[in-house]
Amino acid sequence: MAEKKFQSLTEYCKFPEAEMKRRALEFYAEMMRRRTVRSFSDQPVDRNIIEICLRAASTAPSGANQQPWSFIVVSDHAVKREIREAAEKIEKEFYSKKATEKWVNALEHLGTFPSKPFLETAPYLIAIFSQLYSYSASGEKKKHYYVSESVGIATGMLITGLHHAGLVSLTYTPSKMRFLNKILSRPLNEKPYMILVVGYPSEDALVPAIQKKPLEEIAEFV
Ligand code: IYR
């Protein structure tokens, strides 16, 4: 058994209540400005910014601190094109056969369609993989705990960090994603979780006129 090691919580900062309120409101205002964007500029983004945002995402809590995620950052145009071609094939099938009428109706207000030009236009596609299990140094299969929760939290933190830095993103999930393992040479213990499309919005980017639910609808204090 590994030895238990602890250290004091030197990172924690306690703020006066007024400052806490100000900070919470400031963060809320910043988060309210975040929009999912589907129309990207081809303007390049400094790789260092992406690296910093990934480092921030990697501070996420995870089951047993196993950090069961891989972030594959694609900027190579040929690879982006390959991903676009594979994804559009799946989307064509989705919109013409797989999706129920109810599902297509639920998406109507987002203005989505099978063509995915942003997969080539955006400077970065971050393919996020869940590590369902791993292998120890001695080759023993190691179970991972609360993988989807962990990867979801890290992805949320990545989206937040990218937004905070001044970039936009799109959470993109074609209905089948295993093609990403092949294109990106990822092992089978890694299951594609989503493609996060990252960059600047195009000059003429439009976003759907949608609202978030009010607090009273999403929360209850008991
Ligand atoms: N993957 C398809 C369909 C789609 C599904 C959901 I749920 C969305 O929130 C948005 C789109 C597409 O990207 O077009």
Side-chain angles (χ1 to χ4, degrees):
M1 258 249 283
E3 196 191 330
K4 280 186 234 155
K5 286 204 184 111
F6 291 90
Q7 62 190 27
S8 30
L9 178 61
T10 49
E11 300 90 343
Y12 177 73
C13 267
K14 189 161 185 180
F15 301 109
E17 211 167 84
E19 197 179 338
M20 283 171 68
K21 201 173 273 177
R22 186 191 59 72
R23 289 172 64 95
L25 278 169
E26 202 174 278
F27 185 69
Y28 172 42
E30 168 94 349
M31 293 306 280
M32 272 202 298
R33 286 194 308 102
R34 190 203 60 79
R35 293 302 310 258
T36 291
V37 167
R38 290 187 168 76
S39 179
F40 285 79
S41 152
D42 62 2
Q43 188 185 334
V45 170
D46 184 342
R47 170 179 158 159
N48 192 237
I49 298 167
I50 306 296
E51 287 180 356
I52 297 167
C53 292
L54 287 169
R55 286 203 172 96
S58 77
T59 67
S62 62
N65 191 36
Q66 286 169 323
Q67 305 165 59
W69 43 65
S70 300
F71 299 94
I72 311 304
V73 185
V74 180
S75 58
D76 183 280
H77 199 263
V79 182
K80 286 196 288 182
R81 177 170 301 175
E82 227 184 312
I83 292 175
R84 177 182 179 180
E85 279 167 10
E88 286 183 341
K89 215 188 240 178
I90 285 157
E91 296 295 6
K92 275 188 198 117
E93 208 177 285
F94 174 81
Y95 282 95
S96 66
K97 294 193 204 110
K98 192 174 171 192
T100 56
E101 201 183 322
K102 260 192 194 163
W103 193 347
V104 171
N105 287 344
L107 294 177
E108 212 238 317
H109 66 294
L110 298 179
T112 57
F113 40 82
S115 169
K116 302 294 173 193
F118 53 75
L119 294 174
E120 276 187 85
T121 324
Y124 293 108
L125 307 179
I126 307 182
I128 304 171
F129 290 84
S130 300
Q131 297 170 358
L132 303 177
Y133 54 90
S134 66
Y135 292 98
S136 68
S138 60
E140 222 173 306
K141 191 167 165 175
K142 195 172 103 183
K143 182 174 161 52
H144 284 174
Y145 301 97
Y146 295 99
V147 172
S148 55
E149 290 84 349
S150 306
V151 180
I153 295 167
T155 301
M157 288 172 63
L158 178 59
I159 293 167
T160 305
L162 291 164
H163 166 68
H164 190 64
L167 295 166
V168 294
S169 68
L170 163 66
T171 47
Y172 176 54
T173 51
S175 57
K176 286 189 276 183
M177 294 194 284
R178 274 291 183 183
F179 67 87
L180 289 167
N181 287 74
K182 193 158 169 232
I183 296 176
L184 300 173
S185 309
R186 301 312 298 173
L188 286 175
N189 64 315
E190 295 194 0
K191 186 177 173 211
Y193 180 75
M194 90 169 37
I195 298 173
L196 198 64
V197 185
V198 178
Y200 296 101
S202 69
E203 297 262 337
D204 58 356
L206 294 176
V207 291
I210 49 176
Q211 307 296 327
K212 297 300 178 191
K213 292 178 182 173
L215 185 66
E216 304 70 52
E217 226 177 282
I218 61 149
E220 196 177 322
F221 289 74
V222 292

